[in-house]
Amino acid sequence: MSKRRTSPLPHRDGIAPSFLQLPAGQWPDLLTFLITRFPHMPAEILRGRLERGEIVDHQGEVLNVASGFQPNGRIWYYREVPEETPVPFAEHIIYQDERLLVADKPHFLACIPAGRYLQETLLTRLRKSLGIADIAPIHRLDRETAGIMLFSLDPACRAGYHALFSERDVAKEYEAIAPYRADLELPRVHRSFMQEQQGMFTMEEAEGEPNSETYIELIEVRGAWARYRLKPHTGKKHQLRTHLSALGVPILNDPWYPELLPEKGDDFSRPLQLLARAIEFIDPFTGESRRFESPRELSWPE
């Protein structure tokens, strides 16, 4: 499943249509294939979508319950999710020109539509508020992380900005609130081999050649807590959360490290105290040195 600009369907309410590439082979009809392909989805829901004409082929022709299965064809539709709880925090636009948009993302807002998040994502909010369908993220932040995110506004320039990240030509600066350890020598560069925990979506450190690196320094101390500046050189999944947890100073309100806690659900009262404070790079199109900072402040524990 993916999204392409060659879709026969337009964006709808800030959401790009999705497509499904049909495999080779034979099926009695399209509905039978869909029921087999999506066993977790009740058959009546799939039938209903076809009856309402909500699925089309690559030419934009509406499909129905009697439509045949077209091997190697492609069908298009708008993804649906159960009713979403509104995220009660606002995003802010820091900068915008004809190529680039810089937004300040709040905690709990997903970057892009995925899983159970569709409308309550930063990308969808920006597309709806600005009326620009071609907005696309240049990089990602975890849903629970707040701070600076870059978006491309011109598809022709997207690859140039993506290259900054793939070639590590972007300086990223984060801040976090976590326990204070007087015996932890700082500043320091923490390197480790990180891998996904077996059968989990979280990461862990293990024996092996380091594949992750973070510069860590102390900004201030308030009793048993401290504010840290983090500068990742690599961009592994959950890198900052994993590194601080491994050092015995897990980030305040982290529901995944050092141990996986029950799902928060719609509880927005304890945001992860991790902020993408700033991002800095040389613009590949203007040659200008650019630095963008989030004005957000992290919250110390009571």
PDB file of all heavy atoms in Angstrom, residues 124-140:
ATOM      1  N   THR A 124      -1.585  16.076   7.643  1.00  0.00           N
ATOM      2  CA  THR A 124      -2.973  16.336   7.278  1.00  0.00           C
ATOM      3  C   THR A 124      -3.402  17.726   7.732  1.00  0.00           C
ATOM      4  O   THR A 124      -4.061  18.470   6.995  1.00  0.00           O
ATOM      5  CB  THR A 124      -3.899  15.275   7.887  1.00  0.00           C
ATOM      6  OG1 THR A 124      -3.494  13.981   7.422  1.00  0.00           O
ATOM      7  CG2 THR A 124      -5.343  15.508   7.493  1.00  0.00           C
ATOM      8  N   ARG A 125      -3.032  18.101   8.947  1.00  0.00           N
ATOM      9  CA  ARG A 125      -3.381  19.440   9.436  1.00  0.00           C
ATOM     10  C   ARG A 125      -2.810  20.522   8.528  1.00  0.00           C
ATOM     11  O   ARG A 125      -3.484  21.509   8.196  1.00  0.00           O
ATOM     12  CB  ARG A 125      -2.867  19.633  10.860  1.00  0.00           C
ATOM     13  CG  ARG A 125      -3.676  18.926  11.932  1.00  0.00           C
ATOM     14  CD  ARG A 125      -3.188  19.350  13.318  1.00  0.00           C
ATOM     15  NE  ARG A 125      -3.925  18.716  14.405  1.00  0.00           N
ATOM     16  CZ  ARG A 125      -3.728  18.993  15.685  1.00  0.00           C
ATOM     17  NH1 ARG A 125      -2.804  19.900  16.039  1.00  0.00           N
ATOM     18  NH2 ARG A 125      -4.434  18.385  16.628  1.00  0.00           N
ATOM     19  N   LEU A 126      -1.550  20.368   8.104  1.00  0.00           N
ATOM     20  CA  LEU A 126      -0.922  21.386   7.255  1.00  0.00           C
ATOM     21  C   LEU A 126      -1.566  21.429   5.874  1.00  0.00           C
ATOM     22  O   LEU A 126      -1.790  22.513   5.315  1.00  0.00           O
ATOM     23  CB  LEU A 126       0.578  21.110   7.133  1.00  0.00           C
ATOM     24  CG  LEU A 126       1.399  21.315   8.412  1.00  0.00           C
ATOM     25  CD1 LEU A 126       2.823  20.852   8.213  1.00  0.00           C
ATOM     26  CD2 LEU A 126       1.370  22.783   8.851  1.00  0.00           C
ATOM     27  N   ARG A 127      -1.836  20.266   5.295  1.00  0.00           N
ATOM     28  CA  ARG A 127      -2.486  20.243   3.986  1.00  0.00           C
ATOM     29  C   ARG A 127      -3.840  20.943   4.039  1.00  0.00           C
ATOM     30  O   ARG A 127      -4.211  21.690   3.125  1.00  0.00           O
ATOM     31  CB  ARG A 127      -2.662  18.797   3.515  1.00  0.00           C
ATOM     32  CG  ARG A 127      -1.392  18.172   2.946  1.00  0.00           C
ATOM     33  CD  ARG A 127      -1.616  16.712   2.597  1.00  0.00           C
ATOM     34  NE  ARG A 127      -0.476  16.151   1.880  1.00  0.00           N
ATOM     35  CZ  ARG A 127      -0.306  14.846   1.662  1.00  0.00           C
ATOM     36  NH1 ARG A 127      -1.203  13.979   2.113  1.00  0.00           N
ATOM     37  NH2 ARG A 127       0.742  14.424   0.992  1.00  0.00           N
ATOM     38  N   LYS A 128      -4.597  20.726   5.104  1.00  0.00           N
ATOM     39  CA  LYS A 128      -5.926  21.325   5.213  1.00  0.00           C
ATOM     40  C   LYS A 128      -5.832  22.827   5.487  1.00  0.00           C
ATOM     41  O   LYS A 128      -6.576  23.615   4.899  1.00  0.00           O
ATOM     42  CB  LYS A 128      -6.714  20.630   6.324  1.00  0.00           C
ATOM     43  CG  LYS A 128      -7.099  19.202   5.998  1.00  0.00           C
ATOM     44  CD  LYS A 128      -7.682  18.471   7.198  1.00  0.00           C
ATOM     45  CE  LYS A 128      -9.002  19.026   7.628  1.00  0.00           C
ATOM     46  NZ  LYS A 128      -9.615  18.223   8.718  1.00  0.00           N
ATOM     47  N   SER A 129      -4.950  23.239   6.378  1.00  0.00           N
ATOM     48  CA  SER A 129      -4.879  24.655   6.748  1.00  0.00           C
ATOM     49  C   SER A 129      -4.271  25.519   5.644  1.00  0.00           C
ATOM     50  O   SER A 129      -4.662  26.681   5.472  1.00  0.00           O
ATOM     51  CB  SER A 129      -4.076  24.825   8.044  1.00  0.00           C
ATOM     52  OG  SER A 129      -2.725  24.430   7.863  1.00  0.00           O
ATOM     53  N   LEU A 130      -3.327  24.956   4.879  1.00  0.00           N
ATOM     54  CA  LEU A 130      -2.652  25.725   3.832  1.00  0.00           C
ATOM     55  C   LEU A 130      -3.236  25.496   2.450  1.00  0.00           C
ATOM     56  O   LEU A 130      -2.981  26.275   1.529  1.00  0.00           O
ATOM     57  CB  LEU A 130      -1.155  25.389   3.814  1.00  0.00           C
ATOM     58  CG  LEU A 130      -0.385  25.706   5.095  1.00  0.00           C
ATOM     59  CD1 LEU A 130       1.050  25.208   4.983  1.00  0.00           C
ATOM     60  CD2 LEU A 130      -0.406  27.196   5.364  1.00  0.00           C
ATOM     61  N   GLY A 131      -4.008  24.413   2.292  1.00  0.00           N
ATOM     62  CA  GLY A 131      -4.572  24.115   0.987  1.00  0.00           C
ATOM     63  C   GLY A 131      -3.535  23.716  -0.044  1.00  0.00           C
ATOM     64  O   GLY A 131      -3.719  23.939  -1.241  1.00  0.00           O
ATOM     65  N   ILE A 132      -2.448  23.113   0.401  1.00  0.00           N
ATOM     66  CA  ILE A 132      -1.356  22.690  -0.504  1.00  0.00           C
ATOM     67  C   ILE A 132      -1.250  21.168  -0.454  1.00  0.00           C
ATOM     68  O   ILE A 132      -0.848  20.600   0.562  1.00  0.00           O
ATOM     69  CB  ILE A 132      -0.011  23.327  -0.090  1.00  0.00           C
ATOM     70  CG1 ILE A 132      -0.128  24.852  -0.072  1.00  0.00           C
ATOM     71  CG2 ILE A 132       1.093  22.895  -1.057  1.00  0.00           C
ATOM     72  CD1 ILE A 132       1.124  25.555   0.440  1.00  0.00           C
ATOM     73  N   ALA A 133      -1.614  20.507  -1.552  1.00  0.00           N
ATOM     74  CA  ALA A 133      -1.622  19.042  -1.576  1.00  0.00           C
ATOM     75  C   ALA A 133      -0.231  18.444  -1.663  1.00  0.00           C
ATOM     76  O   ALA A 133      -0.017  17.294  -1.266  1.00  0.00           O
ATOM     77  CB  ALA A 133      -2.473  18.547  -2.745  1.00  0.00           C
ATOM     78  N   ASP A 134       0.740  19.209  -2.205  1.00  0.00           N
ATOM     79  CA  ASP A 134       2.077  18.651  -2.440  1.00  0.00           C
ATOM     80  C   ASP A 134       2.998  18.697  -1.227  1.00  0.00           C
ATOM     81  O   ASP A 134       4.179  18.383  -1.341  1.00  0.00           O
ATOM     82  CB  ASP A 134       2.756  19.376  -3.614  1.00  0.00           C
ATOM     83  CG  ASP A 134       2.221  18.908  -4.961  1.00  0.00           C
ATOM     84  OD1 ASP A 134       1.828  17.728  -5.052  1.00  0.00           O
ATOM     85  OD2 ASP A 134       2.203  19.712  -5.902  1.00  0.00           O
ATOM     86  N   ILE A 135       2.507  19.113  -0.078  1.00  0.00           N
ATOM     87  CA  ILE A 135       3.348  19.093   1.125  1.00  0.00           C
ATOM     88  C   ILE A 135       3.773  17.663   1.426  1.00  0.00           C
ATOM     89  O   ILE A 135       2.963  16.741   1.424  1.00  0.00           O
ATOM     90  CB  ILE A 135       2.591  19.658   2.337  1.00  0.00           C
ATOM     91  CG1 ILE A 135       2.208  21.116   2.109  1.00  0.00           C
ATOM     92  CG2 ILE A 135       3.440  19.544   3.602  1.00  0.00           C
ATOM     93  CD1 ILE A 135       1.404  21.710   3.250  1.00  0.00           C
ATOM     94  N   ALA A 136       5.060  17.469   1.686  1.00  0.00           N
ATOM     95  CA  ALA A 136       5.565  16.137   2.025  1.00  0.00           C
ATOM     96  C   ALA A 136       6.670  16.280   3.061  1.00  0.00           C
ATOM     97  O   ALA A 136       7.496  17.198   2.988  1.00  0.00           O
ATOM     98  CB  ALA A 136       6.114  15.433   0.780  1.00  0.00           C
ATOM     99  N   PRO A 137       6.702  15.386   4.066  1.00  0.00           N
ATOM    100  CA  PRO A 137       7.745  15.478   5.101  1.00  0.00           C
ATOM    101  C   PRO A 137       9.112  15.120   4.536  1.00  0.00           C
ATOM    102  O   PRO A 137       9.239  14.216   3.716  1.00  0.00           O
ATOM    103  CB  PRO A 137       7.284  14.466   6.148  1.00  0.00           C
ATOM    104  CG  PRO A 137       6.483  13.470   5.378  1.00  0.00           C
ATOM    105  CD  PRO A 137       5.798  14.246   4.301  1.00  0.00           C
ATOM    106  N   ILE A 138      10.130  15.818   4.983  1.00  0.00           N
ATOM    107  CA  ILE A 138      11.501  15.529   4.572  1.00  0.00           C
ATOM    108  C   ILE A 138      12.161  14.566   5.562  1.00  0.00           C
ATOM    109  O   ILE A 138      13.073  13.836   5.220  1.00  0.00           O
ATOM    110  CB  ILE A 138      12.306  16.842   4.461  1.00  0.00           C
ATOM    111  CG1 ILE A 138      11.666  17.745   3.386  1.00  0.00           C
ATOM    112  CG2 ILE A 138      13.763  16.576   4.112  1.00  0.00           C
ATOM    113  CD1 ILE A 138      12.253  19.136   3.341  1.00  0.00           C
ATOM    114  N   HIS A 139      11.690  14.560   6.787  1.00  0.00           N
ATOM    115  CA  HIS A 139      12.181  13.628   7.809  1.00  0.00           C
ATOM    116  C   HIS A 139      11.033  13.382   8.780  1.00  0.00           C
ATOM    117  O   HIS A 139       9.926  13.901   8.586  1.00  0.00           O
ATOM    118  CB  HIS A 139      13.419  14.182   8.531  1.00  0.00           C
ATOM    119  CG  HIS A 139      13.140  15.432   9.317  1.00  0.00           C
ATOM    120  ND1 HIS A 139      13.278  15.515  10.678  1.00  0.00           N
ATOM    121  CD2 HIS A 139      12.696  16.660   8.918  1.00  0.00           C
ATOM    122  CE1 HIS A 139      12.953  16.719  11.094  1.00  0.00           C
ATOM    123  NE2 HIS A 139      12.591  17.440  10.042  1.00  0.00           N
ATOM    124  N   ARG A 140      11.244  12.604   9.813  1.00  0.00           N
ATOM    125  CA  ARG A 140      10.172  12.223  10.739  1.00  0.00           C
ATOM    126  C   ARG A 140      10.581  12.472  12.187  1.00  0.00           C
ATOM    127  O   ARG A 140      11.765  12.473  12.526  1.00  0.00           O
ATOM    128  CB  ARG A 140       9.810  10.738  10.579  1.00  0.00           C
ATOM    129  CG  ARG A 140       9.529  10.304   9.156  1.00  0.00           C
ATOM    130  CD  ARG A 140       8.172  10.737   8.671  1.00  0.00           C
ATOM    131  NE  ARG A 140       7.978  10.416   7.260  1.00  0.00           N
ATOM    132  CZ  ARG A 140       7.548   9.245   6.817  1.00  0.00           C
ATOM    133  NH1 ARG A 140       7.261   8.264   7.667  1.00  0.00           N
ATOM    134  NH2 ARG A 140       7.388   9.044   5.518  1.00  0.00           N
TER     135      ARG A 140
END
